[in-house]
Amino acid sequence: MSLRTKYLLYIITIHAALIFLIFKWLQENKLLFIVSEVLVLASVLAAIQIYRAFGQPSQFISAGIEAIKDKDFTIKFVPTGNREVDGLIDVYNLMIDQLREERTKQMEQQFFLEKLIEASPIATLIFDFDRRISSANPKATALLQRPANQLTGQYLSEIDHPLLNQLGHSNDSETRTLKGTGIETYRVQRSHFMDRGFRRDFMLIEELTSEILESEKKAYSKVIRMMAHEVNNSIGAINSILNVTKSYMDAPDQEDVSHALQIAIERNDRLNLFMRRFADVVRLPQPHKNPVDLNEMVRNVSRLMHPQAAARGVALHHALPPDAVRIPVDVIQLEQVLVNVIKNAIEACVAGQTVDILVTPEHLIIRDNGVPISPDLETNLFNPFFSTKPDGQGIGLTLTRDILLNHGFPFSLKTNPDGWTEFTILFGK
């Protein structure tokens, strides 16, 4: 039974008893009887007024509680003239003002944080309490190549992506550096924050490719320039001495010595050419782009590389769309890319295997079913001076990498589960 009901029962009982006693004792004295009944009626009215006064604070409290439940912090009460009630109203209005300020501040901070995450150049994944993805910013959807609605509600292990597949079971607050399928390098960090007293995880994926390439190029450029300077200066002086010496060795009885000097001169020239090829990587000019028919370029390069493929017994095919595919490129540089990649594909094959060149308006793919790329080699293919060939210099794919980066063409090199190795160039249309 509520306090209000108890109070009403008490008032009714008291006044019923008074009325009964007055009727019993003062029935014969009409004047006192009437006066007593008037006093009882006045008492009833006073009790009702007091009851309403007592109920007013509870009404305010109930209305305030309902407003707080509905998260409506705009409702405020005006003073009533009752000192006790007005004190309660002042406390409630002060509390509502503070709650409204805190809520506004939190909403502004939440809005700023959401905009910051959305505009961040770092891919950000936020997980719910069950470690499912609850949100992904635009950079993350672009990196994982899936819309946000396909990522939401998924575990990381349920998303088939080469980068996420390398993570496995990463520990909290662990920072790892991972390689993509091309030259991309990423720093992945997983951490957590507290939300309503419970732990929630988030993951940051930052691309380091441009920074690494820039520092890498500065390092090997300095080494190559120093080597080229020393080798060229030495070879020039040595060849001058050898040519003068050879002129004194033209007699028939000095034929062996003259031949040896000629071999030394030719070897020096080849060494000079060898160093110039390294220097070409450093001095690669920015592309001079003009609209070019990609189909015609592929036909020309296929004709050029066909004798080399035929000599190894490798079939070289190309599949071109019926309409011309015109893209702005530097013809000389892109032809060099095609020659390097097709040459590598041919050398990865044995007699009876195939190299295909596939062209669409969106991409160009050079694929072969030769020796697959092992996982331990995949991350080093585009590193300067790295080569799997005994006589390789390791600059072909480095030159290819720099040309495609300067053109702004994303690319990748990987062996698919079906055994075909694909070099893919995207034109970004």
Side-chain angles (χ1 to χ4, degrees), residues 293-305:
D293 183 2
L294 188 62
N295 291 348
E296 186 62 27
M297 181 186 297
V298 169
R299 290 190 191 97
N300 293 337
V301 175
S302 294
R303 295 189 190 101
L304 176 66
M305 302 303 294

Side-chain angles (χ1 to χ4, degrees), residues 85-255:
V85 175
D86 289 348
L88 181 62
I89 288 175
D90 290 340
V91 173
Y92 172 81
N93 288 343
L94 179 61
M95 179 184 67
I96 285 295
D97 288 338
Q98 292 177 344
L99 287 175
R100 185 173 59 252
E101 291 177 4
E102 288 295 326
R103 184 185 185 188
T104 302
K105 184 178 179 181
Q106 286 187 355
M107 291 178 64
E108 290 174 348
Q109 291 177 344
Q110 181 70 19
F111 180 76
F112 172 73
L113 181 60
E114 289 176 354
K115 289 296 182 183
L116 185 65
I117 293 175
E118 183 178 351
S120 173
I122 300 176
T124 305
L125 297 174
I126 301 176
F127 303 88
D128 60 18
F129 299 114
D130 297 322
R131 297 197 172 186
R132 288 187 173 94
I133 297 175
S134 62
S135 66
N137 69 343
K139 186 67 176 180
T141 59
L143 173 64
L144 301 179
Q145 299 176 348
R146 287 172 176 80
N149 59 358
Q150 291 186 11
L151 296 174
T152 304
Q154 299 289 315
Y155 290 108
L156 282 183
S157 58
E158 297 175 339
I159 301 173
D160 184 19
H161 188 273
L163 187 63
L164 299 183
N165 292 340
Q166 298 179 53
L167 287 175
H169 299 286
S170 58
N171 297 323
D172 186 29
S173 302
E174 179 185 14
T175 301
R176 298 178 59 183
T177 301
L178 305 176
K179 297 281 287 186
T181 57
I183 61 168
E184 303 89 354
T185 303
Y186 301 94
R187 179 191 292 127
V188 181
Q189 180 177 358
R190 186 163 187 164
S191 189
H192 71 274
F193 62 99
M194 302 305 294
D195 181 6
R196 290 165 285 182
F198 296 93
R199 164 182 167 143
R200 288 182 63 184
D201 291 353
F202 68 91
M203 179 177 290
L204 304 177
I205 306 176
E206 180 183 6
E207 185 170 359
L208 305 176
T209 308
S210 58
E211 300 175 13
I212 292 177
L213 291 181
E214 184 64 26
S215 60
E216 176 187 272
K217 191 167 185 177
K218 286 181 180 178
Y220 72 69
S221 296
K222 183 176 181 180
V223 173
I224 289 176
R225 284 195 297 267
M226 180 182 65
M227 291 172 58
H229 176 76
E230 295 299 326
V231 170
N232 291 338
N233 286 348
S234 300
I235 287 178
I238 292 171
N239 276 355
S240 177
I241 295 172
L242 291 176
N243 283 319
V244 171
T245 305
K246 184 173 179 298
S247 65
Y248 292 101
M249 298 295 177
D250 289 336
D253 58 337
Q254 300 294 332
E255 183 176 352

Side-chain angles (χ1 to χ4, degrees), residues 13 28 40 71 104 241 274 288 307 311 319 325 353 359 383 405:
T13 303
E28 297 180 357
V40 170
K71 298 181 180 180
T104 302
I241 295 172
F274 178 85
H288 182 65
V325 178
Q353 294 181 323
V359 176
N383 292 344
L405 286 177

